[in-house]
Amino acid sequence: YCTGRSVRGRLASGDSRPETIEETAELVTSRGGKGIAVRVDHTVEAEVEALCERIRAEAGRLDLLVNDIWGGESLLELGTPFWKQSPQKARLMFERAVFTHVVTSRYAVPLMVERDRGLIVEVTDGDSFGYRGSVAYDVTKMAVLRLAFAMSRDLRRTNVTALAVTPGFLRSEEMLAHFGVTEANWRDAAKKTPDFIASETPAYVGRAVAALAAEPGVKARAGRVFASWTLAREFGFTDVDGSQPHWAEHFEKAYGKPYPVADDAAYGSWLGGAIETVAPDWPVY
């Protein structure tokens, strides 16, 4: 089920991108799956609930939920101090990129809990807890990381797993257009932005999700964030051109500093909170 607001003949309000959910569904089908396009505004609770009721009626199960809802490209104010940022843009970013994940999980995850199996993937930006260049953007992407962690705590007595995944420098259709290049000549953009030479297609992080979904022991990864490039090395998959872009290695080479990552110590500070100490069985199922 490929969901979103942009359908053929009717793009989302304020969206200039031509991609549609029908196109995405067709890509799924062309690769051997069965893509089903469903127009859903994930900020509207009733539409999300109806989607999940349809999945229950048609499929009777849900194995994998990928929360990759974003819609914040036009709202970014990178490099602008928070006291000069637009509160309206911040609110809309939170609604589109955090609330949508919360409400979608609220109605989709019961299909997994009932069968005591499934994987929830929160797609974020970055596998560290470092500042991301803008208060609104930083809070949004850290909230997605925290959402994967928090859901994993509620799910810890089930066989449903929640975790987060990040791509590197994503070579999306919108980014290609931003640089005025295509997938055929994308390397030309590295003349303007050298870091783009380490970019990756959306398929790379998609293959990372597929690898995790097929991993028998994925439960051991619950609550954590994983990068496309580290998963590529671990599972042996490549990008569409056969390469294995590795953002961390590029970063260290380009900037001469170790790449920051949220390691065991970073996540350790999130464990053993007061509520889990005082009420270890919280929440009550």
Side-chain angles (χ1 to χ4, degrees):
Y1 290 84
C2 307
T3 65
R5 297 179 300 163
S6 296
V7 297
R8 287 192 176 123
R10 182 186 174 190
L11 297 182
S13 176
D15 191 359
S16 61
R17 297 301 310 159
E19 295 81 23
T20 65
I21 57 174
E22 289 94 345
E23 177 186 1
T24 303
E26 288 164 2
L27 288 170
V28 171
T29 302
S30 71
R31 286 162 171 75
K34 180 182 179 182
I36 303 170
V38 184
R39 189 187 186 281
V40 178
D41 184 336
H42 285 262
T43 67
V44 180
E45 183 177 352
E47 292 189 20
V48 176
E49 185 176 14
L51 165 70
C52 295
E53 289 175 351
R54 174 176 172 176
I55 293 172
R56 181 188 297 278
E58 293 180 354
R61 57 189 279 187
L62 181 64
D63 299 307
L64 173 65
L65 169 64
V66 181
N67 274 327
D68 191 22
I69 312 162
W70 164 227
E73 294 85 354
S74 63
L75 307 174
L76 283 171
E77 295 182 287
L78 294 174
T80 302
F82 68 86
W83 59 91
K84 294 184 179 181
Q85 291 183 1
S86 164
Q88 291 74 28
K89 286 184 177 181
R91 175 182 290 180
L92 189 54
M93 185 182 293
F94 298 155
E95 180 184 44
R96 288 180 177 179
V98 180
F99 174 74
T100 55
H101 293 218
V102 173
V103 73
T104 302
S105 297
R106 161 62 183 85
Y107 287 102
V109 173
L111 279 74
M112 298 179 174
V113 174
E114 291 167 8
R115 299 178 62 246
D116 197 30
R117 61 175 295 179
L119 176 64
I120 308 156
V121 177
E122 290 291 323
V123 181
T124 186
D125 179 16
D127 59 345
S128 77
F129 295 163
Y131 177 57
R132 287 165 169 76
S134 166
V135 164
Y137 184 67
D138 181 79
V139 172
T140 296
K141 293 305 180 182
M142 277 300 296
V144 174
L145 286 175
R146 184 70 186 189
L147 182 57
F149 173 81
M151 288 194 297
S152 78
R153 302 312 296 161
D154 275 13
L155 291 165
R156 65 189 182 279
R157 295 192 297 277
T158 75
N159 288 311
V160 180
T161 302
L163 51 78
V165 169
T166 180
F169 198 151
L170 192 63
R171 199 162 67 249
S172 64
E173 294 90 345
E174 185 164 20
M175 190 59 69
L176 290 169
H178 172 74
F179 285 119
V181 294
T182 66
E183 187 60 28
N185 68 334
W186 68 266
R187 290 175 179 80
D188 291 347
K191 299 173 183 176
K192 178 180 179 181
T193 303
D195 287 337
F196 200 58
I197 200 65
S199 64
E200 62 191 61
T201 74
Y204 203 45
V205 71
R207 290 174 177 179
V209 171
L212 291 170
E215 184 183 32
V218 70
K219 182 68 175 177
R221 301 179 187 266
R224 297 285 293 269
V225 59
F226 301 91
S228 58
W229 58 90
T230 57
L231 293 172
R233 294 283 177 86
E234 180 178 352
F235 289 101
F237 62 83
T238 67
D239 208 339
V240 292
D241 62 358
S243 67
Q244 280 188 323
H246 199 289
W247 176 250
E249 290 182 354
H250 168 80
F251 180 94
E252 293 177 5
K253 181 179 179 181
Y255 297 99
K257 293 183 178 181
Y259 175 80
V261 63
D263 57 12
D264 290 343
Y267 272 98
S269 67
W270 285 12
L271 295 168
I275 189 67
E276 291 185 310
T277 300
V278 175
D281 292 330
W282 186 276
V284 179
Y285 290 2

